[in-house]
Amino acid sequence: MNTKKVAFHTLGCKLNYAETSVIGNSFLKRGFSLTDFDSKADVYVINTCTVTENAEKECRQIIRRALRNNPNGFVIVTGCYAQLKPEEIQKIEGVDLVLGTKEKFEIFNFIDTLEKKELACIYVTPLEELNDFGAAFTPLPEDRTRAFLKIQDGCDYKCSFCTIPKARGFSRSEPEEEAIKQLNELVQQGYKEIVLTGVNVGDYGSKIGTNLYNLLKKLVKVDGDFRIRISSIEPNLLSDEIIELVATEDKLCKHFHVPLQSGSDKILRRMQRRYLSKLYAERIEKVKSLIPNAGIGVDVIVGFPGEDENDFNTTRDFILNLPVSYLHVFTYSERPGTLAAEMDNQVPKDERRRRTNTLRLISARKKYQFYLEMLGTQQVVLFEHEEKDGSIKGFTSNYVRVKTNSNLNLTNKFALVELQTIENEFVIGQVQKVYEA
Ligand code: SF4
């Protein structure tokens, strides 16, 4: 039998990856098999991120890549960019179907044949009608260690640089019972690390009379051999009770990813963020006081309109003084339709790049320092899959990337590892004990 093949390309955040996995499974249920994006497929699905300056160009390139592998491949574009600018995507040569945020979960309602179209069809529900949740908790089959569990979608915040609320609508949450049920299923399927995802995870429950702390307390009671990682949480929503729970609960990873965006209060105000640098520093101190070994990641945007040399230096010094472990540095780029794109004092692009490089170097130093501090300690590592050279990699609970050459079968297992030396991106570890489920 000639099975039809589908290939995926995902851009953007963990939430998008979680949702691609759901779309992937809907294809598997219809008898399709998964294949690599750079091979010949019958259907190519591109799950896009929000509109950036280069979104159209990037999308065009990905579509060309797909059609090089199969000129007759049926091309579906979905995700945030498709929700926001469907007509722009429709004009790109080779696209057959454009699906909005809601429609991507009902993909087979919109496919009649896989014949290529003269002009792509568009199915996009307007933003005001986006109330569905679109549960996403099943991972793609090749990743047997980690699964994403979507607990929240949309955002009610109004950060001046962000188009996500326009593409994903208002904040909404998965009911607690559903999230617990989905976690149970993932654990039954053998997944050992569950990453809680959403657009604004810390806002979980705000409209259904609960909150993230309550949910976490219930999730850790689920039986099984697993741990939970919170993908990202806004500083103003990182409550004392969440930090205290993470400090005491073995099933919660000692790792926080907390967007900062800028260390300058002037810029934070222009960004319409809901905190100032003092609150941010205080939250990080609280984490470190209760969990000294916590891994802490930070998102920063450089070159935001109005960020002068002084503001940038303030951000740089603020980060240098924070006990954080790594940065995700984003070079500001204008997103059409946002307040920030209309602001005066846009920073020249080469200056944005220079500032990005400065912070990336600081990130590398922070990470090295964090890894150094972990040497000599014993940590529980969740190992993934063996590499061709016989080595195997995994993460500690506090997000140190560990590599070992043990000849034990460690795939998808927790093991106690002594962290010994740093080699490139990894800490080399010696396995002390394997935890068999
Ligand atoms: S918190 Fe701000 S940056 Fe994050 S999704 Fe909401 S509006 Fe966008």
Side-chain angles (χ1 to χ4, degrees):
M1 198 177 75
N2 195 3
T3 323
K4 291 219 177 304
K5 291 186 178 146
V6 60
F8 291 89
H9 188 91
T10 307
L11 297 160
C13 60
K14 285 180 179 150
L15 183 56
N16 255 15
Y17 282 87
E19 292 182 348
T20 297
S21 70
V22 174
I23 304 169
N25 278 285
S26 69
F27 275 90
L28 293 179
K29 279 189 197 140
R30 298 273 174 152
F32 279 75
S33 66
L34 289 173
T35 188
D36 191 78
F37 199 81
D38 285 314
S39 63
K40 186 174 178 191
D42 300 279
V43 181
Y44 293 93
V45 181
I46 302 156
N47 194 5
T48 61
C49 191
T50 53
V51 182
T52 62
E53 243 185 330
N54 291 324
E56 194 195 332
K57 197 168 146 210
E58 198 175 5
C59 205
R60 216 177 265 285
Q61 280 167 354
I62 297 165
I63 292 162
R64 249 190 260 128
R65 234 173 87 192
L67 295 177
R68 261 200 304 274
N69 296 311
N70 182 8
N72 294 319
F74 190 82
V75 176
I76 304 173
V77 182
T78 185
C80 294
Y81 177 36
Q83 174 74 30
L84 283 171
K85 299 271 167 141
E87 288 86 11
E88 200 169 292
I89 296 170
Q90 188 185 40
K91 287 191 198 126
I92 302 178
E93 208 184 312
V95 181
D96 299 292
L97 191 57
V98 185
L99 297 179
T101 302
K102 177 170 182 278
E103 288 72 18
K104 67 178 161 189
F105 296 111
E106 305 158 359
I107 221 156
F108 283 93
N109 291 347
F110 303 100
I111 302 177
D112 40 14
T113 69
L114 294 180
E115 295 279 302
K116 286 204 71 66
K117 306 267 188 290
E118 280 291 309
L119 182 69
C121 300
I122 298 180
Y123 300 98
V124 174
T125 302
L127 182 68
E128 317 74 69
E129 293 165 31
L130 277 185
N131 298 317
D132 288 10
F133 187 73
F137 70 100
T138 323
L140 283 172
E142 63 263 29
D143 189 350
R144 301 304 300 171
T145 303
R146 193 176 300 111
F148 298 115
L149 171 57
K150 174 180 159 188
I151 58 168
Q152 188 276 341
D153 200 350
C155 185
D156 294 341
Y157 288 19
K158 294 194 164 43
C159 301
S160 60
F161 53 83
C162 183
T163 51
I164 291 176
K166 287 193 183 152
R168 286 190 170 265
F170 291 115
S171 178
R172 48 210 190 272
S173 304
E174 186 77 299
E176 286 183 347
E177 318 75 65
E178 268 309 304
I180 294 166
K181 203 171 114 206
Q182 290 169 7
L183 174 66
N184 245 311
E185 278 182 42
L186 290 170
V187 173
Q188 294 307 319
Q189 287 169 34
Y191 293 98
K192 297 282 171 61
E193 181 170 306
I194 315 300
V195 184
L196 300 184
T197 63
V199 169
N200 188 346
V201 170
D203 191 48
Y204 174 81
S206 59
K207 293 184 186 148
I208 53 171
T210 184
N211 58 36
L212 183 62
Y213 170 71
N214 290 336
L215 177 69
L216 288 170
K217 269 198 316 187
K218 291 177 183 157
L219 293 179
V220 295
K221 295 221 171 75
V222 168
D223 269 346
D225 184 31
F226 70 96
R227 68 187 184 189
I228 293 173
R229 198 178 289 281
I230 305 168
S231 60
S232 171
I233 184 163
E234 290 288 305
N236 50 308
L237 297 172
L238 180 54
S239 62
D240 282 356
E241 53 185 9
I242 292 178
I243 300 171
E244 282 155 18
L245 188 68
V246 171
T248 51
E249 260 301 335
D250 284 348
K251 280 190 171 139
L252 295 177
C253 287
K254 313 302 177 220
H255 172 213
F256 292 98
H257 193 92
V258 192
L260 166 67
Q261 312 307 17
S262 175
S264 150
D265 288 343
K266 178 188 112 189
I267 298 300
L268 286 173
R269 287 195 181 95
R270 280 170 74 87
M271 288 176 164
Q272 299 185 175
R273 302 286 291 163
R274 297 203 181 185
Y275 55 87
L276 296 176
S277 57
K278 184 166 177 282
L279 179 132
Y280 191 94
E282 192 264 319
R283 293 293 75 203
I284 301 301
E285 273 163 31
K286 179 79 187 179
V287 170
K288 281 294 198 184
S289 70
L290 294 185
I291 318 167
N293 280 341
I296 303 177
V298 182
D299 288 339
V300 203
I301 298 173
V302 292
F304 187 81
E307 183 190 71
D308 60 24
E309 191 65 27
N310 194 28
D311 298 316
F312 175 69
N313 290 343
T314 303
T315 298
R316 182 199 60 202
D317 295 346
F318 182 71
I319 290 169
L320 279 171
N321 287 320
L322 281 177
V324 296
S325 330
Y326 64 93
L327 313 175
H328 282 172
V329 187
F330 299 91
T331 312
Y332 172 77
S333 78
E334 289 79 7
R335 279 150 163 82
T338 59
L339 272 178
E342 306 302 318
M343 286 179 182
D344 50 12
N345 296 327
Q346 298 281 332
V347 178
K349 296 214 166 129
D350 51 351
E351 181 56 21
R352 295 183 203 177
R353 276 193 289 277
R354 187 191 70 78
R355 293 178 190 177
T356 301
N357 290 340
T358 304
L359 289 196
R360 290 205 172 133
L361 281 174
I362 292 175
S363 177
R365 271 159 47 199
K366 288 267 180 200
K367 194 165 167 187
Y368 188 76
Q369 183 58 36
F370 177 56
Y371 281 11
L372 266 184
E373 285 161 19
M374 298 308 298
L375 294 185
T377 67
Q378 295 196 344
Q379 302 291 328
V380 175
V381 176
L382 173 58
F383 284 103
E384 292 161 18
H385 48 84
E386 220 169 274
E387 305 290 330
K388 287 194 185 95
D389 65 2
S391 68
I392 186 159
K393 295 165 188 158
F395 281 100
T396 62
S397 157
N398 60 353
Y399 216 54
V400 175
R401 192 96 171 100
V402 176
K403 185 170 157 182
T404 188
N405 279 319
S406 160
N407 51 11
L408 301 163
N409 174 14
L410 294 170
T411 302
N412 202 25
K413 284 184 188 158
F414 289 109
L416 186 67
V417 177
E418 185 176 293
L419 306 186
Q420 297 183 327
T421 49
I422 301 175
E423 200 182 282
N424 302 321
E425 295 282 287
F426 300 95
V427 171
I428 306 299
Q430 176 82 45
V431 175
Q432 307 293 309
K433 178 176 168 188
V434 181
Y435 298 101
E436 299 290 347

